[in-house]
Amino acid sequence: MIRYLIKNNLKIMFRSPVNILLYVLCPIVVTAVLVSAFSAMMESYEGAGQFTVGYRVEENSVFDGYMNAIVETGRENGVSFAEYRDGDPETLIKDNKLACFAVFGSDSYTIYETQDTKTESGTLQYMLSAMVNGVISGDFSAVSFKTEQPFFVPAVNSTDYYGIIYIVYFGWCALVCAAGLFSNEKKHRIDERLRVSNLSVLQLYLARFIPLVAVVSCGIGVAAVIGGVIMGVHWGNIALSAALVVLSVMAATAMEMFIYELTNSMLASVIISFGIVWFLGYIGGSFETYMFSSNPDWLKHLDPIYHENRALVELSTMGHSDYVASAALILAGMFAVFSLLNLAVGRIRRSVQ
């Protein structure tokens, strides 16, 4: 009997193809718009690399005796020095495509930079400052530049970020896909008839839950495939990512079905569900990327969408994430708790009917 109900509910849902297409088209359209709008903001930082600096040493400069050492130290650190005895520094930078220009005066130095070479200028300033401090301390030979590679989370581009988190976000709006099913049940009073049948409350719950999770998961799954093929969205560990997304659909479906059981109104349920999901999405990085979010860290860690988004993004960039476990536990906990609440409300309704 339950298999018949699941099959019948699937047929009813497919009679409202627009609701299903929303889960395919909306993530793709929203992702494309946001990628176009925010691609520059999420460009990864690139270091200065090797660059050339022009310089001039004025007469009676204290730096004159150290220039060979300065040039050699610069060469070891990717900075080439080219001497220009005459000419305006700003003009020389432009004409010779120099990163910046240093003028060594009698007891100080001046660095000329452009708007586009502030990184190179900062590197040069740091190098010269370290060397001057070495001269002052009397230990010039001890001046060195130590390079370290600390652990860091690789940058994610806007295509991968939005292509992932909007699959998640629309998966959390699962109730929309059930609009046709619940409306049909209410119109023909099917839910009331089923409550007095021999089917258990668990069977009635699963008869709604399973087709809804299946259809929503398939819809956003198609959207994820299209996003990967057309826009080049990288999912990293595909199997683990897919499992997390399906688990989130299960948690969202259980939560929203519970809201529907309480209100017995599709309109009220959609409004309440969207309000909850919008708030969770705002905190969790669906609208403001969680890397740039100003929300308190403790608040973000209370949000299941934040854990899921971060786990999936880190799986995309690193292939692993410490947030996979927390996301899975939170989502599984939500699914279990709201499923039990659904069953409790169903039993109460059956007892008073």
Side-chain angles (χ1 to χ4, degrees), residues 69-86:
I70 290 175
V71 171
E72 179 61 21
T73 302
R75 185 186 65 78
E76 293 174 355
N77 291 275
V79 181
S80 300
F81 283 87
E83 185 177 12
Y84 295 88
R85 297 182 181 275
D86 301 304

Side-chain angles (χ1 to χ4, degrees), residues 169 255 259 268-282:
Y169 183 75
M255 179 186 73
I259 295 172
S269 300
V270 168
I271 293 173
I272 295 171
S273 298
F274 273 26
I276 294 172
V277 173
W278 188 95
F279 178 76
L280 294 178
Y282 170 73

